[in-house]
Amino acid sequence: MRRIWWSFLLVLGMVLLAPTTVHATQDDGTILVLNSYHQGFSWTDEEMKGILQEIDESGLELEIFIEYLDWKKFPTDWNLQGFRDLIEQKYYNSNLDIILCTDDSAFTFARENRDELFKGVPIVFCGVDGLDYEELSSNQDNYTGVMQIMNPYGTIQAAKAIDPDLQTIYVVYDNTGSGQAIGELCARSAKQVSANLEVVLLNDLGTDVIYDTVSKAKEHSIVLMTNYVLSDNWTYMSQERFCEQVAMRSAVPVYHLYQFGLGHGMLGGDLILGSIQGEKAASQAIRILRGEGANQIPILNEDTNQMMFDFTTMQKFGLSRDELPENSVVINSPIDFFQMYKGQIISAIVVFILLLAFTISLLFYIRKIRSMQKTLKENHEELTALYEEITASEEEMRAQYEEIIDAHELLEISNHKLVQLTEHDTLTGLYNRYYLYEVIDNLLRESQDPGALYFLDLDNFKYVNDTLGHSVGDILLQNLSTRMNGILEAEIHLVRLGGDEFVFFYPSVSDKILIENFAKKILAIFEEPFLIEENNLIISASVGIAISPQNGNTMELLLKNADMAMYYIKNKGKNGYYFFDDSLDLMMWERVSIERKFKKAMEENEFYVVYQPQICPVSGEVEGFEALLRWRSDGVLIPPLKFIQIAEENGFIIQLGEWVLRQACKDIVKLNKERNTNYRISVNVSVIQLLQSDFVQTVLGVVQETGLSPEQLILEVTESVFMESAEYIAEQLKRLRNEKIGIALDDFGTGYSSLAYLKDFPITIIKVDKIFIDSILGTQSIHNITDTIINLGHELHLKVVAEGVEEKEQVSFLLNSQCDLIQGFFYAKPMVMEDLVKWLGYPMK
C-alpha cells in the first residue's frame, strides 16, 4: 500500500515539475546524470561543474537530465526504492544514450537496475573509490569511468614533513560505508608513513565529543578530516559548517582530503578536485557519443589531486611557505592584523590588566572595611578609633574611585582609537582589508542581496615609486583616494586592500548597465593627470568586476574572481574593466599548468633555440642570425606568446633568458670556428632581465665564458622596455655598448616615441616592423613611410634590418631603398642548428 501511495506522489510530481535539463535539443544525444548526493553538497556541485564545462566545450548539442539520490541525507532502502520508482516513471519512454554517475551510490544503483531501467545504455562514472579499481577493470561490462584516488598518505606525509615530531593523528569520519572505508585507508596510510604514529579514530563519537577531543589534542598532533556528513544519531550535517566548528575548537592543525574543506579553517593537504573528476568522466562520455564502445575506453586510475594550503590557517600555526611540500598551491593571503597593530593591542592589554588588578585590590579592601565595620559593632570600646580609621579609608576610597573613573574614560578613548586603527587605512583614511572581511562580508552573508565588487589595481604604479620615490607614490595614493571618495554614492563602500589595490562594493544592485556605468565612473577618475611636486603624472587602472551571487556569495570568492577578471584586463592592455566569467577559471588553470611545467622543461631539455638568417640583399651573403626560443612539451609545441608573458610575470624569464643567451653564443662560436666566418647573433632580452642589477655582469660573463667576440653579439629590445624605468635601462644599455655589444630596436615604427629612443639610447640597429613590410605592396603612403624609416636610420648611422619579408616584390623594394639586411621566409624560416648547417651548405662536425 505504501508503494502505491509513493508511486501516486511520483506521478503527481512529474506532472507539476519538469525534470532538470541543461540543453533543450537532442541532435547529438541524451545524457542522464545520476548524483549520489544532494544539490548544494560542495563535492557534488564541483563534479557537476566539471561535467557541464567539459560538455559545453565539446560543441555537442545534448539533452541533459540531472537527478540526485540524496544518499548522504537519506541512506535508506525506502529512499532507494522511491528514487528507483521516480527514475522509472520519469524516463520510461526516454531514449537515453549515456548514464553518467557521480560517486559510488549512484554507480551501484545504475548497475543494479540497468536491466530493468537502462537496458543496453552505457554507464560512465566518477568519484568511485580507487580501491575498487581491480574489480571494476577486470569485470568491465558496458561501463567506464574515473577512479577517485584518495591520498591520505600524501597528506600525512606532508604533515610529517611540516612537523617531524608528529606523534598522533585524530581521524574524523562517519559510519557510512564510504566513511568507514576512508577511515581505514587513513589508518593504513599513517602506518605506512611511520609505524610509530598513533591513530585515534573518531567515527563513533558525537559532534560534541569530537569538538571536546580535538580541543584537548596534545602537541605534535594533527586532525585529519575526511567524510563526516552523518552525525552519531545519523543526522545530516553540512560539511563546511562542521569543518569550521572543528577548526575553531582544534588546538592543532586540521587537514582535509577534499578541496571544499579549504576556506573553512582547514590547513590543507593532498586534496581531491571534484571538478577534474567531472571533466574526465564527461570526456569519456563524449568519446562514447562519438562512436567508441564503453568497454574500449580504459577506466582512468589517475591522480586528480593537488597539494593545497590555506595561508590564513598557516599563519595561525606559524607556518611559512618554505615548510610546505614542493609545488604546493597556497590560497587566501589575509592581512596579519596582530602584527600591524601589535603595539596598540599590547598597550590595551597592559592597561586592562592594570585596571583589573586595581579593581581586585579595591574589592579586597572593601571586604576588609566591611570586616572592620562588623568588628566595630561587636566591640563598642574601639568605636572612636575605628571610626577615625574608617573616615580616612573612605577619603582614600573616594580618591581611588575618581582615579577609576578617569582610567575608565581613558580606556573608552583608547578603545575608540583602536577601532579606528583596526578598520581604517593609516595612509589614506579609507576602510581597510579588516573592514572588508569583518563588516562588508558579514553584511553580504546576512542580507543575501545581489551586489557588485570592483577590484582596482593601478597600472605601472611600481615605476612611479622607482623613478620619483615612495613619498610621491604615497601622495599619489592620497590624491587618488580623494577622487574616488568623490564618486561614492551613499551605499557604496570603498576599501584600500594595500599597496595600489582598492575595492569598491556596490550592494543591492543587479542591473548590469548600472554596474557597468559605475565602472566607467571609476576609469573617468584617471582622465585628468595628477600634479604632484611639479610632476604631471598620467596613470591608468585595470578593474575586475564580480557580481553576487552569480560569481560567489562570500567576500573571499567575490574578491578572488574579481582579481582574476582584473588580471585578465591587465594582460589585455590595461586601462579598462572586465566582468568575471567561468572561462577565467580555465585560464588560471592553464596558467598554473604552464608554471608547473617550467622547471621540468629546463631539467628535461624541452626548450631549444632556432636561428633565422639575416642576409645582405646586395651581395646575397649571410651576415648573421636571430636566435628564437621554442618549447616542445610532451610532443606539443607551445607558442612563445603563450608562455613568455607568464615567464616574465613569475620571474622565470631571468633563468630562461640567460639560458637562451648562453646557448646562442655557444652555437655561433662553434659555427664560426668550423666555418671560419664572423657571423653575428641577435638575442632578444626582456624588460625583466634589464631591470636586474646584475644583468650587465651576466651578459659579459656569458660572452667571456663562451669565447664570443662582443662585436658579434646584438641584444634586441622592444620599445616597451623604455616605458618602464627609462633612465635605469638607458644606463644598463650604455654599459653594454661601451663593451662593443650591439643594441637593436625591434618592431621600430609602431611606437609614438621611437625617434626619442634613437636620440636618447645607444641604439646601433633598427628593425622595421613586419606591419610595414606586409604593406609595401599596398599604397604609396606606406612606400613613403618605409622608405623614410630606412633613410632615417642611415642618416643616424644605424643599420636597418627588415623582418618578415616573404615576397620577391618586397625584396626588390628594399633593395632599391638600400635596406642593409633582410630577414624572413623568402630566404629561410627559423631552423635548429643541424638544419641551419645543412642550409649553409657544409656538413656539421
Side-chain angles (χ1 to χ4, degrees), residues 52-298:
L52 297 178
Q53 179 173 312
E54 186 67 20
I55 291 175
D56 186 64
E57 292 176 356
S58 72
L60 295 177
E61 294 292 332
L62 304 175
E63 186 169 23
I64 303 175
F65 299 90
I66 304 174
E67 301 291 350
Y68 295 87
L69 178 56
D70 211 5
W71 195 248
K72 289 290 184 188
K73 293 183 178 178
F74 308 105
T76 63
D77 291 340
W78 185 81
N79 177 35
L80 195 64
Q81 181 60 49
F83 186 77
R84 186 192 184 285
D85 293 342
L86 172 68
I87 299 300
E88 183 178 13
Q89 293 289 340
K90 276 191 174 185
Y91 304 102
Y92 178 75
N93 291 321
S94 300
N95 295 320
L96 301 175
D97 297 298
I98 298 286
I99 304 297
L100 205 161
C101 305
T102 68
D103 301 300
D104 302 74
S105 301
F107 181 44
T108 301
F109 174 87
R111 292 174 66 193
E112 291 178 352
N113 294 276
R114 69 189 308 174
D115 290 336
E116 293 80 12
L117 302 180
F118 315 118
K119 189 71 174 179
V121 180
I123 299 174
V124 178
F125 64 82
C126 66
V128 173
D129 195 337
L131 297 175
D132 300 326
Y133 173 73
E134 294 296 334
E135 177 187 352
L136 293 176
S137 60
S138 61
N139 300 298
Q140 196 169 348
D141 179 18
N142 199 23
Y143 62 75
T144 187
V146 182
M147 306 305 298
Q148 172 182 284
I149 307 302
M150 191 77 64
N151 190 19
Y153 178 86
T155 298
I156 297 170
Q157 189 177 46
K160 181 69 173 173
I162 293 172
D163 181 8
D165 297 325
L166 182 64
Q167 298 173 358
T168 307
I169 300 177
Y170 296 88
V171 184
V172 180
Y173 62 96
D174 61 24
N175 284 323
T176 62
S178 60
Q180 290 180 340
I182 295 172
E184 292 171 2
L185 177 60
C186 292
R188 291 197 304 272
S189 299
K191 294 303 180 182
Q192 290 174 358
V193 172
S194 174
N196 297 324
L197 284 175
E198 178 188 4
V199 180
V200 180
L201 305 179
L202 305 182
N203 59 307
D204 290 324
L205 305 180
T207 55
D208 290 338
V209 180
I210 291 175
Y211 296 155
D212 184 62
T213 301
V214 300
S215 70
K216 298 176 181 177
K218 52 191 176 183
E219 189 179 8
H220 302 303
S221 303
I222 66 167
V223 178
L224 180 56
M225 298 290 294
T226 64
N227 191 10
Y228 195 98
V229 294
L230 293 177
S231 65
D232 57 321
N233 60 358
W234 293 87
T235 302
Y236 173 76
M237 297 187 64
S238 164
Q239 283 273 46
E240 293 84 353
R241 178 62 177 170
F242 183 59
C243 287
E244 292 174 352
Q245 293 299 315
V246 170
M248 180 173 65
R249 292 169 170 84
S250 176
V252 296
V254 184
Y255 290 76
H256 212 291
L257 299 181
Y258 292 89
Q259 179 189 11
F260 57 75
L262 283 187
H264 300 283
M266 303 295 100
L267 175 60
D270 198 355
L271 308 180
I272 299 177
L273 307 181
S275 59
I276 303 299
Q277 288 273 315
E279 288 176 8
K280 290 184 178 293
S283 176
Q284 290 179 313
I286 290 168
R287 291 173 62 181
I288 294 174
L289 291 171
R290 289 174 171 165
E292 294 187 55
N295 290 345
Q296 297 173 337
I297 303 175

Side-chain angles (χ1 to χ4, degrees), residues 462-463 644-655 657 685-695 720-721 724 728-729 732:
K462 174 182 180 296
Y463 303 109
I644 289 295
Q645 183 176 352
I646 297 176
E648 289 181 330
E649 290 168 359
N650 69 5
F652 182 69
I653 194 66
I654 299 171
Q655 177 186 357
V685 293
S686 163
V687 63
I688 305 302
Q689 294 174 263
L690 283 165
L691 289 172
Q692 302 307 305
S693 60
D694 62 347
F695 176 70
S720 61
V721 303
E724 305 296 347
Y728 179 76
I729 290 176
Q732 295 274 69

Side-chain angles (χ1 to χ4, degrees), residues 659-705:
W659 178 86
V660 173
L661 177 64
R662 180 173 285 103
Q663 187 65 42
C665 290
K666 286 169 58 178
D667 286 346
I668 202 64
V669 167
K670 182 179 179 183
L671 182 63
N672 281 335
K673 184 177 179 181
E674 294 175 349
R675 184 72 169 171
N676 192 25
T677 54
N678 291 304
Y679 292 138
R680 293 173 300 175
I681 186 68
S682 295
V683 181
N684 291 279
V685 293
S686 163
V687 63
I688 305 302
Q689 294 174 263
L690 283 165
L691 289 172
Q692 302 307 305
S693 60
D694 62 347
F695 176 70
V696 174
Q697 291 86 339
T698 299
V699 173
L700 297 179
V702 170
V703 169
Q704 183 178 7
E705 172 191 334

Side-chain angles (χ1 to χ4, degrees), residues 38 48 50 56 65 114 127 216 219 233-234 240-241 291 297 318 346 355 459 534 541 580 585 588 625 658 726 765:
H38 56 278
M48 283 304 307
D56 186 64
F65 299 90
R114 69 189 308 174
K216 298 176 181 177
E219 189 179 8
N233 60 358
W234 293 87
E240 293 84 353
R241 178 62 177 170
I297 303 175
I346 292 176
L355 288 175
D459 299 328
E534 299 182 356
F580 171 82
D585 264 334
M588 290 303 294
F625 311 94
E658 182 177 345
I765 297 171

Side-chain angles (χ1 to χ4, degrees), residues 362-377:
L362 182 61
L363 291 174
F364 175 78
Y365 197 79
I366 291 173
R367 291 183 63 185
K368 182 179 178 181
I369 295 298
R370 289 176 178 172
S371 176
M372 291 173 63
Q373 289 175 336
K374 182 177 180 181
T375 302
L376 285 172
K377 291 180 181 178

Side-chain angles (χ1 to χ4, degrees), residues 448-460:
Q448 298 183 347
D449 287 337
L453 185 137
Y454 304 78
F455 190 108
L456 181 149
D457 183 89
L458 299 185
D459 299 328
N460 300 320

